[in-house]
Amino acid sequence: SNHQCTVDWIIADMLAIRQNALGHVRYVLKDGLKWLPLYGWYFSQHGGVYVKRSAKFNEKEMREKLRAQMKAETPMYLVIFPEGTRYNPEIPKVIADSQSFAEKEGLAILKHVLTPRVKATHVAIDSMKDYLDAVYDVTVAYEGTVDHKGQRKLAPSMTEFLCKECPRVHIFIDRIELKDIPEEQMYMRRWLHERFEIKDKLLIEFYDAKDSKRRNKFPGKSVHSKLSLKKTLPSLLFLGGLTASMLLTESGRKLYVKTWIYGTLIGCLWVSIKP
């Protein structure tokens, strides 16, 4: 998938819950996120794969983590954001550096996405080629992220998204058979960039189409996917009730605070020893 904001993580969950697979989502995450209070440890224990960029990338460690998941015969959606960081219109230097790199390497220059990095994608597909059903190329666009001058704005933050400041999320999905993906990293790199060229064309049409009727939509027949309350309400009631019951009593509040403090310390220690 392309990557713009924290909400992108939730998009993966939105797709998974519609396939009754919410508990099976695994992420490839940048290494710095392992220090997130509680969540860094949680993602690690839940099969998340932390990776460092460029020369510090540890291929062996990633392969071992994926093999452990396969050995356990864990059904999963492994989510990768190959750009390696968010596309942020307010940080033009990152976009310019990405475009300069593509030009230097003789690759097509992309406007609405960054030049993808192939290492993690190659390791994932190569390690799991006998385990995967397919690869899903997911392109995400957030409606209402263009200003009055037609310039793209920052994608919504989690708070803005939850407060409905983003009218709609548009998701374009393309299912790719493994036989259509090159195995060698050199050729996969070209293939991955071509996939991002397709994303870029979709997003150019979405954001920049001269005909206003073609903006804010992807080509083809769209499906408005509603989610029934029975899939979300039980979890909300359970977690909300559990949290509220803790916060309503003095002893519960102390336990809540201690869980965050000591859980964070133990979690950071754990991921530093066993990432």
Side-chain angles (χ1 to χ4, degrees):
S1 176
N2 56 319
H3 191 25
Q4 305 158 79
C5 59
T6 309
V7 182
D8 295 335
W9 292 23
I10 307 302
I11 300 301
D13 293 334
M14 289 178 174
L15 297 175
I17 197 171
R18 284 164 170 79
Q19 302 297 320
N20 296 315
L22 185 58
H24 301 301
V25 179
R26 306 289 186 270
Y27 295 98
V28 175
L29 311 118
K30 62 182 179 183
D31 191 66
L33 291 175
K34 71 183 180 184
W35 306 115
L36 279 174
L38 290 184
Y39 287 98
W41 175 82
Y42 164 77
F43 282 128
S44 175
Q45 297 309 296
H46 195 58
V49 182
Y50 291 111
V51 295
K52 294 180 180 179
R53 296 172 185 164
S54 305
K56 294 181 179 180
F57 178 79
N58 191 325
E59 179 178 330
K60 181 182 177 183
E61 195 173 274
M62 183 176 179
R63 287 185 184 275
E64 287 176 354
K65 191 88 176 186
L66 293 173
R67 285 194 195 103
Q69 293 291 307
M70 291 186 288
K71 188 176 180 180
E73 298 185 351
T74 307
M76 61 175 157
Y77 283 144
L78 183 67
V79 180
I80 301 180
F81 301 111
E83 290 160 290
T85 191
R86 301 174 190 180
Y87 179 98
N88 186 343
E90 295 182 0
I91 309 179
K93 185 181 184 304
V94 173
I95 298 171
D97 288 348
S98 173
Q99 292 173 339
S100 296
F101 177 78
E103 185 177 19
K104 180 183 174 183
E105 295 295 314
L107 301 168
I109 295 173
L110 307 171
K111 181 180 180 182
H112 286 294
V113 291
L114 301 176
T115 303
R117 304 161 187 256
V118 74
K119 285 184 180 178
T121 304
H122 176 259
V123 170
I125 294 175
D126 184 61
S127 300
M128 303 173 68
K129 58 189 175 186
D130 297 325
Y131 194 73
L132 295 174
D133 295 310
V135 171
Y136 291 90
D137 184 353
V138 179
T139 304
V140 180
Y142 297 95
E143 200 170 309
T145 52
V146 175
D147 63 21
H148 65 284
K149 295 181 181 179
Q151 298 298 311
R152 192 167 163 193
K153 298 190 300 182
L154 191 64
S157 66
M158 188 66 75
T159 303
E160 290 169 338
F161 181 75
L162 294 174
C163 291
K164 289 191 172 182
E165 292 185 32
C166 173
R168 287 187 186 88
V169 179
H170 297 256
I171 306 170
F172 189 93
I173 303 175
D174 196 3
R175 188 181 195 274
I176 302 165
E177 300 289 342
L178 285 178
K179 63 181 178 61
D180 296 325
I181 302 174
E183 291 189 11
E184 291 186 37
Q185 182 171 314
M186 180 177 65
Y187 296 114
M188 188 182 290
R189 180 193 186 202
R190 175 69 64 177
W191 169 84
L192 184 61
H193 196 85
E194 287 172 355
R195 294 306 312 180
F196 270 73
E197 284 183 61
I198 295 171
K199 287 181 185 295
D200 202 42
K201 289 175 183 176
L202 287 169
L203 293 170
I204 287 171
E205 188 77 2
F206 185 92
Y207 292 116
D208 306 330
K210 293 181 179 179
D211 184 353
S212 60
K213 293 181 180 178
R214 289 163 59 188
R215 279 185 227 133
N216 290 322
K217 61 174 67 174
F218 284 132
K221 184 180 178 181
S222 63
V223 177
H224 183 208
S225 178
K226 293 183 178 180
L227 192 62
S228 65
L229 280 176
K230 70 180 182 180
K231 285 195 173 185
T232 57
L233 192 58
S235 296
L236 174 65
L237 292 175
F238 175 76
L239 293 172
L242 184 63
T243 305
S245 63
M246 291 179 69
L247 297 179
L248 288 174
T249 64
E250 185 177 350
S251 58
R253 287 191 291 273
K254 287 181 179 179
L255 177 61
Y256 186 80
V257 172
K258 287 179 179 179
T259 299
W260 274 99
I261 294 173
Y262 295 116
T264 297
L265 293 174
I266 294 170
C268 287
L269 180 62
W270 184 283
V271 296
S272 66
I273 297 172
K274 187 179 179 181

